[in-house]
Amino acid sequence: MNISSRWDPKTQQWSYSTPMITSREGCGVGVLNNEIFVVGGWNKFTNTENQGVTTVETFCPFTEKWRTCGSLIEKRHWVSVSSTQFYCNTSFLSL
């Protein structure tokens, strides 16, 4: 599924948000630089044999837009995601 929902702590209610680009379940989710990253997952509706998803998408809550920001080397589902920031000279590395 590509449904995403948003929790509003002021009203204490859920509402639907902009759908993800790629339908998936069993994906990893993490937050980095105020954006939500969704990594891999499993799409039982479009994949027939190897049902893992390679796409990585990010959601900006301020613009309410999803964008594809990369791909995994291999299909992964039921993954864990964590974010840590390291600065190296002028490069930014996120693990």
Side-chain angles (χ1 to χ4, degrees):
M1 72 177 62
N2 65 342
I3 297 170
S4 61
S5 304
R6 169 187 299 241
W7 172 255
D8 186 336
K10 291 179 184 173
T11 64
Q12 295 197 1
Q13 294 197 7
W14 287 97
S15 62
Y16 288 109
S17 186
T18 309
M20 290 183 284
I21 298 166
T22 305
S23 294
R24 64 181 86 211
E25 58 186 64
C27 50
V29 179
V31 177
L32 181 65
N33 297 329
N34 295 319
E35 291 193 335
I36 300 168
F37 286 77
V38 178
V39 179
W42 181 68
N43 186 331
K44 64 183 173 186
F45 300 109
T46 60
N47 296 328
T48 55
E49 215 170 286
N50 186 353
Q51 298 172 336
V53 174
T54 60
T55 57
V56 178
E57 295 175 19
T58 184
F59 179 75
C60 177
F62 304 109
T63 63
E64 292 204 25
K65 293 185 179 179
W66 287 96
R67 67 180 174 87
T68 302
C69 62
S71 293
L72 300 171
I73 296 171
E74 295 183 25
K75 296 177 182 182
R76 300 276 187 219
H77 56 281
W78 307 115
V79 298
S80 294
V81 173
S82 176
S83 60
T84 305
Q85 297 178 354
F86 295 101
Y87 292 92
C88 180
N89 295 330
T90 57
S91 302
F92 176 77
L93 174 63
S94 176
L95 304 173

